[in-house]
Amino acid sequence: MNAPTSAQTIFLDQLMGELGPVSVLAAADADLVRHGHVPDPTQAVDRTPLAVAYPRSTADVSTILRLCHQHHIAVTPQGGLTGMVGGAIPGAGGLILSLERMREIEEVDVAAATMTVQAGVPLQAVQERAEACDLFFPLDLGARGSCMIGGNIATNAGGNRVLRYGMMRELVLGLEVVLADGTIVTSLNKMLKNNAGYDWKHLFIGSEGTLGITTRAVLRLYPKPRTTNVALCGLATFDDVLAFLKEARSMLGGDLSAFEVMWKEFYEVAVQIADGPPPLEAGYPFYVLIEALGSDEQDDGARFERLLERFITSKVVKDAVVAQSAREVEGLWAIRDSSGELDRVFGEAVNFDVSIPTGNIAAFADDCRSRLREALGGGEALVFGHIADSNLHLSCKGPDGIARSGLIDATVYAAVRDWGGSISAEHGIGVGKRDYLPYSRTPSEIDLMWKIKHSLDPTGILNPGKVLPAQRSSDS
Amino acid sequence: MNAPTSAQTIFLDQLMGELGPVSVLAAADADLVRHGHVPDPTQAVDRTPLAVAYPRSTADVSTILRLCHQHHIAVTPQGGLTGMVGGAIPGAGGLILSLERMREIEEVDVAAATMTVQAGVPLQAVQERAEACDLFFPLDLGARGSCMIGGNIATNAGGNRVLRYGMMRELVLGLEVVLADGTIVTSLNKMLKNNAGYDWKHLFIGSEGTLGITTRAVLRLYPKPRTTNVALCGLATFDDVLAFLKEARSMLGGDLSAFEVMWKEFYEVAVQIADGPPPLEAGYPFYVLIEALGSDEQDDGARFERLLERFITSKVVKDAVVAQSAREVEGLWAIRDSSGELDRVFGEAVNFDVSIPTGNIAAFADDCRSRLREALGGGEALVFGHIADSNLHLSCKGPDGIARSGLIDATVYAAVRDWGGSISAEHGIGVGKRDYLPYSRTPSEIDLMWKIKHSLDPTGILNPGKVLPAQRSSDS
């Protein structure tokens, strides 16, 4: 980037004066490069930030935002840098606010089943502390070791256990945020029921740092499950998949924690990535990984096997393998989790995270594939997802790979729009999906989002360019 | 009220012209009186509205709000008129907007497990339609026959099954609202995961008609539970109650659906109200009604009895009675549900709905009672609640009954404030608790609520005087 302007220099001097030099990094060293070089779907040429600030407390965050507000300096909050849509990409000449030094677990309240944490605590640290208290924090993602609670909140993270425990939104009881002008708003609520006025925390959860910056949160903990039962099943039709899901929800009740569907092309690639021989033979049109997290060591295993037997007898499930040990549980999950490494076998692809109303998922997948073939003159798509949550993932490439990734994007998102789906199930919008937001939101919804944005961040310093597409001219 | 002013007459003429006379009631007949005479905690002298409008569609609601916005006419939305905090009390000379003619169930989507309804559909109609589709809508309240979905959404209703299924907020997947200026914002989302931009529906859920008016919603349905197991238990200490809760959550997992605690004074009154002999003898310091809604007809009963046996053996539970039939289930619930008729035995009392962090509930109850005795020179309080949800109810009276109800309010809410609780767990704020909101919310939280209010309802026509206490002078 260019040398700082004199206005930027005045801002930096003031920031270092108030925060102390150890919390601000303005020289172009390796760390600045690390923060600046987040993978960038927009491929902008210059993303070099002015500086990085490392607050150690809520008061520090307030100081930073107050000064940015005064000096009109754009602020990009950053956590573990594991986001999928470019929400943490800095703007040239703006300030990066990294939460990575705010990593204190402040309290576990066993009676209330809550944990109070700073925003920079990694997800895995929360999981481990809960476990040490004989409790359970159910959010889980592949990036658990790096991603931070603040980022999980900013993106309303999902993952594999949403069916049973909800998304991050449902796991946040209390929140502290700093508004654009530096105002601290604190509600470290531990209570499940609290209808005292507007439940404002929901405005910030999932807003990707564009409305305020989360500094602390009270998380909801659960009892630790005592049993895990997992099976992998082969099925012939999507109607059979839906019938299996309906009955599994009914028979397993609150214990059903995952119902992952893999289309056969995905399975055939996945078994080449996971170690060992395939747990089920290839060739079934659909594979379902079903998991129940239970509490009854005596009966849960038998109940799970009864469910499967019933479906095998009725031929809805053609074949099934039930994990008999923790190692086998891991082995079955490894098939599904190979989604992070598909490119090793499938080659580079464009990946999608979308939602489609559950009953339409198979028809959507077929339609989407045929649209891709038509648009690209060929190509392939691997399809898999958390279908009980309506959430589908696709890995797509044309006959020439990802050469025409813009066309692949446009084709898939048009299909999502036409099937009444959401262009983002769990990854958020960031910059990567911003221009497609009108495919899943009406103009009046986007106007409402802008109204909220203007009200909370009137000068537009918070993570500019993220989430919201350009405003309609009638409202500007 | 006085005769309409000429400005009001112009507004009314225009409203009738656009909506048709059959949808507007301006004469002072019996129906107007019914809408106007909601029980009023503020005991204002004149609450006679200008008129009542009965929209039949979202477009009607939009027309009404557009005209009210233009003419600066205050609007009070009304549903089933079963609220507890005066949220539906009209202002003199304002318009009542009754949703009672918008009572269409538009769709049940079995694969997605959703129901799309208009705001005026009664809760019980939703429950019954779900049941007819072999599905289950878990929200349940005593007022189920009268209260409407729109009101359940406006107040973020709670009830007895929050522990397992969440509050109304967790049961709303999609929402359509009309903003103060008549703008219709529609997102009839059916998907569990949808991170496409701000999840704006949460702003309206629980805002008691002060930010917009709900016209339609997509509700989340669940599989119908197949088993119900209920027991009533006597315990000696609150520590035992907490230990019992922790183990019940762990052993019953996702099936635990209610954990209702009754202090002994409540139990002694309740058994006089419910029919038949008391199911457990009087004298235990605490009574717990525990319920599991399960899915396994074969094993659930045995699992439930094992849990109880373990606690009886360890003497944490001193005595227990397990319901052996649907009629006995009803009989045990009748004890807890007698809370609606306590005054028959206890006499008239001031009733509270508050939340306290679970671990502090017993200490709070003791402290609250001793503060009441000191303030009133005597008196009694019955205490009961959904303690796993942090939710406590109290019925309080002084030696002279409710003669000094203002003092009783002030005393209880001061105790709630000092114990870090919420002045409203599930009933909302309305006008009844508005002036106490600062006891549970900081000034910066209330400022944030006002900022949101000003942004969405700049002329302040939506349910004025509800929820928010007066604004700080620095922001006006």
Side-chain angles (χ1 to χ4, degrees), chain B residues 282-311:
Chain B
Y284 294 110
F286 298 95
Y287 293 81
V288 172
L289 180 93
I290 179 172
E291 180 185 79
L293 293 177
S295 48
D296 187 345
E297 280 136 334
Q298 191 166 325
D299 297 324
D300 280 346
R303 176 157 67 135
F304 192 75
E305 299 215 351
R306 273 206 308 280
L307 169 75
L308 291 177
E309 274 160 26
R310 180 194 300 191
F311 279 95

PDB file of all heavy atoms in Angstrom, chain B residues 282-311:
ATOM      1  N   ALA B 282     -48.067 -33.712  52.379  1.00  0.00           N
ATOM      2  CA  ALA B 282     -47.527 -32.364  52.520  1.00  0.00           C
ATOM      3  C   ALA B 282     -46.293 -32.385  53.417  1.00  0.00           C
ATOM      4  O   ALA B 282     -46.004 -33.392  54.067  1.00  0.00           O
ATOM      5  CB  ALA B 282     -48.591 -31.439  53.104  1.00  0.00           C
ATOM      6  N   GLY B 283     -45.537 -31.313  53.438  1.00  0.00           N
ATOM      7  CA  GLY B 283     -44.453 -31.178  54.396  1.00  0.00           C
ATOM      8  C   GLY B 283     -43.054 -31.226  53.812  1.00  0.00           C
ATOM      9  O   GLY B 283     -42.095 -30.813  54.467  1.00  0.00           O
ATOM     10  N   TYR B 284     -42.891 -31.734  52.597  1.00  0.00           N
ATOM     11  CA  TYR B 284     -41.553 -31.671  51.999  1.00  0.00           C
ATOM     12  C   TYR B 284     -41.241 -30.222  51.631  1.00  0.00           C
ATOM     13  O   TYR B 284     -42.114 -29.502  51.149  1.00  0.00           O
ATOM     14  CB  TYR B 284     -41.471 -32.552  50.746  1.00  0.00           C
ATOM     15  CG  TYR B 284     -41.619 -34.024  51.057  1.00  0.00           C
ATOM     16  CD1 TYR B 284     -42.759 -34.722  50.674  1.00  0.00           C
ATOM     17  CD2 TYR B 284     -40.625 -34.698  51.763  1.00  0.00           C
ATOM     18  CE1 TYR B 284     -42.910 -36.063  50.979  1.00  0.00           C
ATOM     19  CE2 TYR B 284     -40.774 -36.040  52.076  1.00  0.00           C
ATOM     20  CZ  TYR B 284     -41.919 -36.714  51.684  1.00  0.00           C
ATOM     21  OH  TYR B 284     -42.059 -38.042  51.997  1.00  0.00           O
ATOM     22  N   PRO B 285     -40.018 -29.816  51.839  1.00  0.00           N
ATOM     23  CA  PRO B 285     -39.682 -28.421  51.484  1.00  0.00           C
ATOM     24  C   PRO B 285     -39.839 -28.126  49.996  1.00  0.00           C
ATOM     25  O   PRO B 285     -40.202 -27.026  49.624  1.00  0.00           O
ATOM     26  CB  PRO B 285     -38.225 -28.293  51.934  1.00  0.00           C
ATOM     27  CG  PRO B 285     -38.092 -29.297  53.043  1.00  0.00           C
ATOM     28  CD  PRO B 285     -38.947 -30.457  52.612  1.00  0.00           C
ATOM     29  N   PHE B 286     -39.582 -29.120  49.130  1.00  0.00           N
ATOM     30  CA  PHE B 286     -39.682 -28.906  47.680  1.00  0.00           C
ATOM     31  C   PHE B 286     -40.388 -30.087  47.015  1.00  0.00           C
ATOM     32  O   PHE B 286     -40.157 -31.248  47.393  1.00  0.00           O
ATOM     33  CB  PHE B 286     -38.291 -28.765  47.045  1.00  0.00           C
ATOM     34  CG  PHE B 286     -37.524 -27.583  47.554  1.00  0.00           C
ATOM     35  CD1 PHE B 286     -36.621 -27.716  48.605  1.00  0.00           C
ATOM     36  CD2 PHE B 286     -37.723 -26.320  47.003  1.00  0.00           C
ATOM     37  CE1 PHE B 286     -35.920 -26.616  49.089  1.00  0.00           C
ATOM     38  CE2 PHE B 286     -37.034 -25.220  47.479  1.00  0.00           C
ATOM     39  CZ  PHE B 286     -36.131 -25.365  48.541  1.00  0.00           C
ATOM     40  N   TYR B 287     -41.199 -29.760  46.024  1.00  0.00           N
ATOM     41  CA  TYR B 287     -41.840 -30.779  45.185  1.00  0.00           C
ATOM     42  C   TYR B 287     -41.395 -30.556  43.745  1.00  0.00           C
ATOM     43  O   TYR B 287     -41.366 -29.411  43.287  1.00  0.00           O
ATOM     44  CB  TYR B 287     -43.372 -30.671  45.280  1.00  0.00           C
ATOM     45  CG  TYR B 287     -43.872 -31.031  46.656  1.00  0.00           C
ATOM     46  CD1 TYR B 287     -43.821 -30.105  47.694  1.00  0.00           C
ATOM     47  CD2 TYR B 287     -44.363 -32.309  46.921  1.00  0.00           C
ATOM     48  CE1 TYR B 287     -44.242 -30.440  48.970  1.00  0.00           C
ATOM     49  CE2 TYR B 287     -44.791 -32.659  48.198  1.00  0.00           C
ATOM     50  CZ  TYR B 287     -44.727 -31.716  49.225  1.00  0.00           C
ATOM     51  OH  TYR B 287     -45.132 -32.051  50.484  1.00  0.00           O
ATOM     52  N   VAL B 288     -41.023 -31.638  43.088  1.00  0.00           N
ATOM     53  CA  VAL B 288     -40.600 -31.527  41.690  1.00  0.00           C
ATOM     54  C   VAL B 288     -41.532 -32.365  40.823  1.00  0.00           C
ATOM     55  O   VAL B 288     -41.731 -33.557  41.085  1.00  0.00           O
ATOM     56  CB  VAL B 288     -39.147 -32.022  41.504  1.00  0.00           C
ATOM     57  CG1 VAL B 288     -38.792 -32.088  40.015  1.00  0.00           C
ATOM     58  CG2 VAL B 288     -38.170 -31.105  42.241  1.00  0.00           C
ATOM     59  N   LEU B 289     -42.100 -31.732  39.804  1.00  0.00           N
ATOM     60  CA  LEU B 289     -42.837 -32.455  38.772  1.00  0.00           C
ATOM     61  C   LEU B 289     -41.878 -32.636  37.604  1.00  0.00           C
ATOM     62  O   LEU B 289     -41.425 -31.652  37.009  1.00  0.00           O
ATOM     63  CB  LEU B 289     -44.055 -31.661  38.323  1.00  0.00           C
ATOM     64  CG  LEU B 289     -44.871 -32.369  37.256  1.00  0.00           C
ATOM     65  CD1 LEU B 289     -45.981 -33.189  37.907  1.00  0.00           C
ATOM     66  CD2 LEU B 289     -45.482 -31.380  36.277  1.00  0.00           C
ATOM     67  N   ILE B 290     -41.557 -33.878  37.291  1.00  0.00           N
ATOM     68  CA  ILE B 290     -40.609 -34.143  36.216  1.00  0.00           C
ATOM     69  C   ILE B 290     -41.327 -34.887  35.092  1.00  0.00           C
ATOM     70  O   ILE B 290     -42.122 -35.789  35.352  1.00  0.00           O
ATOM     71  CB  ILE B 290     -39.370 -34.919  36.743  1.00  0.00           C
ATOM     72  CG1 ILE B 290     -38.387 -35.208  35.610  1.00  0.00           C
ATOM     73  CG2 ILE B 290     -39.751 -36.180  37.476  1.00  0.00           C
ATOM     74  CD1 ILE B 290     -37.071 -35.803  36.112  1.00  0.00           C
ATOM     75  N   GLU B 291     -41.059 -34.451  33.852  1.00  0.00           N
ATOM     76  CA  GLU B 291     -41.718 -35.083  32.699  1.00  0.00           C
ATOM     77  C   GLU B 291     -40.690 -35.390  31.622  1.00  0.00           C
ATOM     78  O   GLU B 291     -39.797 -34.581  31.344  1.00  0.00           O
ATOM     79  CB  GLU B 291     -42.778 -34.146  32.109  1.00  0.00           C
ATOM     80  CG  GLU B 291     -43.503 -34.745  30.903  1.00  0.00           C
ATOM     81  CD  GLU B 291     -44.467 -33.764  30.240  1.00  0.00           C
ATOM     82  OE1 GLU B 291     -44.008 -32.890  29.479  1.00  0.00           O
ATOM     83  OE2 GLU B 291     -45.672 -33.879  30.492  1.00  0.00           O
ATOM     84  N   ALA B 292     -40.819 -36.570  31.010  1.00  0.00           N
ATOM     85  CA  ALA B 292     -40.013 -36.912  29.830  1.00  0.00           C
ATOM     86  C   ALA B 292     -40.963 -37.240  28.693  1.00  0.00           C
ATOM     87  O   ALA B 292     -41.908 -38.015  28.876  1.00  0.00           O
ATOM     88  CB  ALA B 292     -39.115 -38.103  30.130  1.00  0.00           C
ATOM     89  N   LEU B 293     -40.732 -36.623  27.541  1.00  0.00           N
ATOM     90  CA  LEU B 293     -41.487 -36.948  26.331  1.00  0.00           C
ATOM     91  C   LEU B 293     -40.567 -37.771  25.449  1.00  0.00           C
ATOM     92  O   LEU B 293     -39.551 -37.262  24.967  1.00  0.00           O
ATOM     93  CB  LEU B 293     -41.919 -35.675  25.595  1.00  0.00           C
ATOM     94  CG  LEU B 293     -42.946 -34.799  26.305  1.00  0.00           C
ATOM     95  CD1 LEU B 293     -43.223 -33.540  25.486  1.00  0.00           C
ATOM     96  CD2 LEU B 293     -44.242 -35.556  26.561  1.00  0.00           C
ATOM     97  N   GLY B 294     -40.889 -39.032  25.269  1.00  0.00           N
ATOM     98  CA  GLY B 294     -39.943 -39.920  24.605  1.00  0.00           C
ATOM     99  C   GLY B 294     -40.476 -40.520  23.335  1.00  0.00           C
ATOM    100  O   GLY B 294     -41.571 -40.188  22.864  1.00  0.00           O
ATOM    101  N   SER B 295     -39.682 -41.418  22.776  1.00  0.00           N
ATOM    102  CA  SER B 295     -40.005 -41.980  21.473  1.00  0.00           C
ATOM    103  C   SER B 295     -39.946 -43.500  21.480  1.00  0.00           C
ATOM    104  O   SER B 295     -40.175 -44.134  20.469  1.00  0.00           O
ATOM    105  CB  SER B 295     -39.022 -41.434  20.443  1.00  0.00           C
ATOM    106  OG  SER B 295     -37.706 -41.561  20.940  1.00  0.00           O
ATOM    107  N   ASP B 296     -39.640 -44.078  22.636  1.00  0.00           N
ATOM    108  CA  ASP B 296     -39.395 -45.513  22.675  1.00  0.00           C
ATOM    109  C   ASP B 296     -40.418 -46.180  23.595  1.00  0.00           C
ATOM    110  O   ASP B 296     -40.249 -46.211  24.816  1.00  0.00           O
ATOM    111  CB  ASP B 296     -37.970 -45.752  23.179  1.00  0.00           C
ATOM    112  CG  ASP B 296     -37.574 -47.221  23.097  1.00  0.00           C
ATOM    113  OD1 ASP B 296     -38.472 -48.078  22.927  1.00  0.00           O
ATOM    114  OD2 ASP B 296     -36.376 -47.503  23.211  1.00  0.00           O
ATOM    115  N   GLU B 297     -41.475 -46.720  22.975  1.00  0.00           N
ATOM    116  CA  GLU B 297     -42.535 -47.313  23.790  1.00  0.00           C
ATOM    117  C   GLU B 297     -42.034 -48.499  24.607  1.00  0.00           C
ATOM    118  O   GLU B 297     -42.567 -48.813  25.667  1.00  0.00           O
ATOM    119  CB  GLU B 297     -43.706 -47.742  22.892  1.00  0.00           C
ATOM    120  CG  GLU B 297     -44.594 -46.555  22.527  1.00  0.00           C
ATOM    121  CD  GLU B 297     -44.995 -46.521  21.053  1.00  0.00           C
ATOM    122  OE1 GLU B 297     -44.242 -47.077  20.225  1.00  0.00           O
ATOM    123  OE2 GLU B 297     -46.039 -45.925  20.765  1.00  0.00           O
ATOM    124  N   GLN B 298     -41.004 -49.148  24.105  1.00  0.00           N
ATOM    125  CA  GLN B 298     -40.520 -50.347  24.777  1.00  0.00           C
ATOM    126  C   GLN B 298     -39.752 -50.038  26.066  1.00  0.00           C
ATOM    127  O   GLN B 298     -39.969 -50.679  27.080  1.00  0.00           O
ATOM    128  CB  GLN B 298     -39.623 -51.112  23.793  1.00  0.00           C
ATOM    129  CG  GLN B 298     -39.250 -52.497  24.248  1.00  0.00           C
ATOM    130  CD  GLN B 298     -38.676 -53.291  23.070  1.00  0.00           C
ATOM    131  OE1 GLN B 298     -39.083 -53.149  21.921  1.00  0.00           O
ATOM    132  NE2 GLN B 298     -37.702 -54.131  23.366  1.00  0.00           N
ATOM    133  N   ASP B 299     -38.870 -49.030  26.030  1.00  0.00           N
ATOM    134  CA  ASP B 299     -37.935 -48.854  27.145  1.00  0.00           C
ATOM    135  C   ASP B 299     -38.119 -47.587  27.978  1.00  0.00           C
ATOM    136  O   ASP B 299     -37.559 -47.483  29.071  1.00  0.00           O
ATOM    137  CB  ASP B 299     -36.490 -48.832  26.615  1.00  0.00           C
ATOM    138  CG  ASP B 299     -36.107 -50.156  25.972  1.00  0.00           C
ATOM    139  OD1 ASP B 299     -36.561 -51.195  26.471  1.00  0.00           O
ATOM    140  OD2 ASP B 299     -35.355 -50.136  24.988  1.00  0.00           O
ATOM    141  N   ASP B 300     -38.834 -46.586  27.455  1.00  0.00           N
ATOM    142  CA  ASP B 300     -38.833 -45.288  28.130  1.00  0.00           C
ATOM    143  C   ASP B 300     -39.344 -45.363  29.569  1.00  0.00           C
ATOM    144  O   ASP B 300     -38.795 -44.732  30.475  1.00  0.00           O
ATOM    145  CB  ASP B 300     -39.681 -44.275  27.352  1.00  0.00           C
ATOM    146  CG  ASP B 300     -38.928 -43.704  26.163  1.00  0.00           C
ATOM    147  OD1 ASP B 300     -37.695 -43.882  26.101  1.00  0.00           O
ATOM    148  OD2 ASP B 300     -39.573 -43.076  25.304  1.00  0.00           O
ATOM    149  N   GLY B 301     -40.416 -46.144  29.787  1.00  0.00           N
ATOM    150  CA  GLY B 301     -40.996 -46.234  31.128  1.00  0.00           C
ATOM    151  C   GLY B 301     -39.978 -46.787  32.119  1.00  0.00           C
ATOM    152  O   GLY B 301     -39.788 -46.251  33.215  1.00  0.00           O
ATOM    153  N   ALA B 302     -39.278 -47.842  31.708  1.00  0.00           N
ATOM    154  CA  ALA B 302     -38.305 -48.463  32.598  1.00  0.00           C
ATOM    155  C   ALA B 302     -37.145 -47.522  32.892  1.00  0.00           C
ATOM    156  O   ALA B 302     -36.661 -47.425  34.023  1.00  0.00           O
ATOM    157  CB  ALA B 302     -37.780 -49.754  31.961  1.00  0.00           C
ATOM    158  N   ARG B 303     -36.727 -46.794  31.867  1.00  0.00           N
ATOM    159  CA  ARG B 303     -35.618 -45.862  32.052  1.00  0.00           C
ATOM    160  C   ARG B 303     -35.998 -44.771  33.051  1.00  0.00           C
ATOM    161  O   ARG B 303     -35.220 -44.397  33.924  1.00  0.00           O
ATOM    162  CB  ARG B 303     -35.246 -45.243  30.699  1.00  0.00           C
ATOM    163  CG  ARG B 303     -34.182 -44.199  30.763  1.00  0.00           C
ATOM    164  CD  ARG B 303     -33.468 -44.021  29.440  1.00  0.00           C
ATOM    165  NE  ARG B 303     -34.313 -43.470  28.405  1.00  0.00           N
ATOM    166  CZ  ARG B 303     -33.932 -42.484  27.568  1.00  0.00           C
ATOM    167  NH1 ARG B 303     -32.711 -41.978  27.667  1.00  0.00           N
ATOM    168  NH2 ARG B 303     -34.727 -42.039  26.637  1.00  0.00           N
ATOM    169  N   PHE B 304     -37.211 -44.287  32.919  1.00  0.00           N
ATOM    170  CA  PHE B 304     -37.702 -43.238  33.817  1.00  0.00           C
ATOM    171  C   PHE B 304     -37.758 -43.755  35.256  1.00  0.00           C
ATOM    172  O   PHE B 304     -37.320 -43.091  36.194  1.00  0.00           O
ATOM    173  CB  PHE B 304     -39.100 -42.813  33.329  1.00  0.00           C
ATOM    174  CG  PHE B 304     -39.626 -41.568  33.964  1.00  0.00           C
ATOM    175  CD1 PHE B 304     -39.136 -40.326  33.589  1.00  0.00           C
ATOM    176  CD2 PHE B 304     -40.635 -41.625  34.910  1.00  0.00           C
ATOM    177  CE1 PHE B 304     -39.637 -39.163  34.153  1.00  0.00           C
ATOM    178  CE2 PHE B 304     -41.143 -40.465  35.484  1.00  0.00           C
ATOM    179  CZ  PHE B 304     -40.646 -39.235  35.105  1.00  0.00           C
ATOM    180  N   GLU B 305     -38.238 -44.987  35.421  1.00  0.00           N
ATOM    181  CA  GLU B 305     -38.331 -45.536  36.783  1.00  0.00           C
ATOM    182  C   GLU B 305     -36.938 -45.799  37.373  1.00  0.00           C
ATOM    183  O   GLU B 305     -36.723 -45.628  38.577  1.00  0.00           O
ATOM    184  CB  GLU B 305     -39.189 -46.795  36.787  1.00  0.00           C
ATOM    185  CG  GLU B 305     -40.615 -46.460  36.304  1.00  0.00           C
ATOM    186  CD  GLU B 305     -41.719 -47.257  36.998  1.00  0.00           C
ATOM    187  OE1 GLU B 305     -41.391 -48.204  37.733  1.00  0.00           O
ATOM    188  OE2 GLU B 305     -42.899 -46.913  36.791  1.00  0.00           O
ATOM    189  N   ARG B 306     -36.000 -46.215  36.523  1.00  0.00           N
ATOM    190  CA  ARG B 306     -34.624 -46.406  37.011  1.00  0.00           C
ATOM    191  C   ARG B 306     -34.048 -45.108  37.571  1.00  0.00           C
ATOM    192  O   ARG B 306     -33.378 -45.096  38.592  1.00  0.00           O
ATOM    193  CB  ARG B 306     -33.706 -46.879  35.875  1.00  0.00           C
ATOM    194  CG  ARG B 306     -33.662 -48.356  35.649  1.00  0.00           C
ATOM    195  CD  ARG B 306     -32.339 -48.816  35.007  1.00  0.00           C
ATOM    196  NE  ARG B 306     -31.966 -48.088  33.809  1.00  0.00           N
ATOM    197  CZ  ARG B 306     -32.476 -48.312  32.589  1.00  0.00           C
ATOM    198  NH1 ARG B 306     -33.414 -49.239  32.412  1.00  0.00           N
ATOM    199  NH2 ARG B 306     -32.072 -47.624  31.557  1.00  0.00           N
ATOM    200  N   LEU B 307     -34.309 -44.002  36.862  1.00  0.00           N
ATOM    201  CA  LEU B 307     -33.825 -42.700  37.328  1.00  0.00           C
ATOM    202  C   LEU B 307     -34.376 -42.405  38.719  1.00  0.00           C
ATOM    203  O   LEU B 307     -33.638 -42.031  39.641  1.00  0.00           O
ATOM    204  CB  LEU B 307     -34.246 -41.603  36.350  1.00  0.00           C
ATOM    205  CG  LEU B 307     -34.037 -40.159  36.812  1.00  0.00           C
ATOM    206  CD1 LEU B 307     -32.564 -39.793  36.733  1.00  0.00           C
ATOM    207  CD2 LEU B 307     -34.854 -39.175  35.980  1.00  0.00           C
ATOM    208  N   LEU B 308     -35.672 -42.616  38.881  1.00  0.00           N
ATOM    209  CA  LEU B 308     -36.289 -42.309  40.167  1.00  0.00           C
ATOM    210  C   LEU B 308     -35.774 -43.231  41.269  1.00  0.00           C
ATOM    211  O   LEU B 308     -35.460 -42.782  42.373  1.00  0.00           O
ATOM    212  CB  LEU B 308     -37.813 -42.415  40.050  1.00  0.00           C
ATOM    213  CG  LEU B 308     -38.444 -41.327  39.186  1.00  0.00           C
ATOM    214  CD1 LEU B 308     -39.941 -41.567  39.067  1.00  0.00           C
ATOM    215  CD2 LEU B 308     -38.171 -39.948  39.771  1.00  0.00           C
ATOM    216  N   GLU B 309     -35.660 -44.520  40.945  1.00  0.00           N
ATOM    217  CA  GLU B 309     -35.186 -45.477  41.946  1.00  0.00           C
ATOM    218  C   GLU B 309     -33.800 -45.098  42.451  1.00  0.00           C
ATOM    219  O   GLU B 309     -33.516 -45.156  43.648  1.00  0.00           O
ATOM    220  CB  GLU B 309     -35.116 -46.884  41.342  1.00  0.00           C
ATOM    221  CG  GLU B 309     -36.437 -47.640  41.424  1.00  0.00           C
ATOM    222  CD  GLU B 309     -36.482 -48.791  40.412  1.00  0.00           C
ATOM    223  OE1 GLU B 309     -35.383 -49.297  40.038  1.00  0.00           O
ATOM    224  OE2 GLU B 309     -37.587 -49.133  39.986  1.00  0.00           O
ATOM    225  N   ARG B 310     -32.961 -44.680  41.515  1.00  0.00           N
ATOM    226  CA  ARG B 310     -31.605 -44.323  41.911  1.00  0.00           C
ATOM    227  C   ARG B 310     -31.632 -43.180  42.943  1.00  0.00           C
ATOM    228  O   ARG B 310     -30.896 -43.197  43.927  1.00  0.00           O
ATOM    229  CB  ARG B 310     -30.781 -43.906  40.696  1.00  0.00           C
ATOM    230  CG  ARG B 310     -29.360 -43.537  41.089  1.00  0.00           C
ATOM    231  CD  ARG B 310     -28.594 -42.819  40.019  1.00  0.00           C
ATOM    232  NE  ARG B 310     -28.463 -43.615  38.808  1.00  0.00           N
ATOM    233  CZ  ARG B 310     -27.645 -43.279  37.809  1.00  0.00           C
ATOM    234  NH1 ARG B 310     -26.890 -42.184  37.917  1.00  0.00           N
ATOM    235  NH2 ARG B 310     -27.571 -44.003  36.731  1.00  0.00           N
ATOM    236  N   PHE B 311     -32.495 -42.215  42.718  1.00  0.00           N
ATOM    237  CA  PHE B 311     -32.540 -41.066  43.626  1.00  0.00           C
ATOM    238  C   PHE B 311     -33.266 -41.382  44.921  1.00  0.00           C
ATOM    239  O   PHE B 311     -32.976 -40.787  45.957  1.00  0.00           O
ATOM    240  CB  PHE B 311     -33.160 -39.860  42.917  1.00  0.00           C
ATOM    241  CG  PHE B 311     -32.167 -39.164  42.068  1.00  0.00           C
ATOM    242  CD1 PHE B 311     -32.056 -39.441  40.720  1.00  0.00           C
ATOM    243  CD2 PHE B 311     -31.270 -38.270  42.641  1.00  0.00           C
ATOM    244  CE1 PHE B 311     -31.096 -38.831  39.945  1.00  0.00           C
ATOM    245  CE2 PHE B 311     -30.308 -37.653  41.879  1.00  0.00           C
ATOM    246  CZ  PHE B 311     -30.216 -37.933  40.516  1.00  0.00           C
TER     247      PHE B 311
END
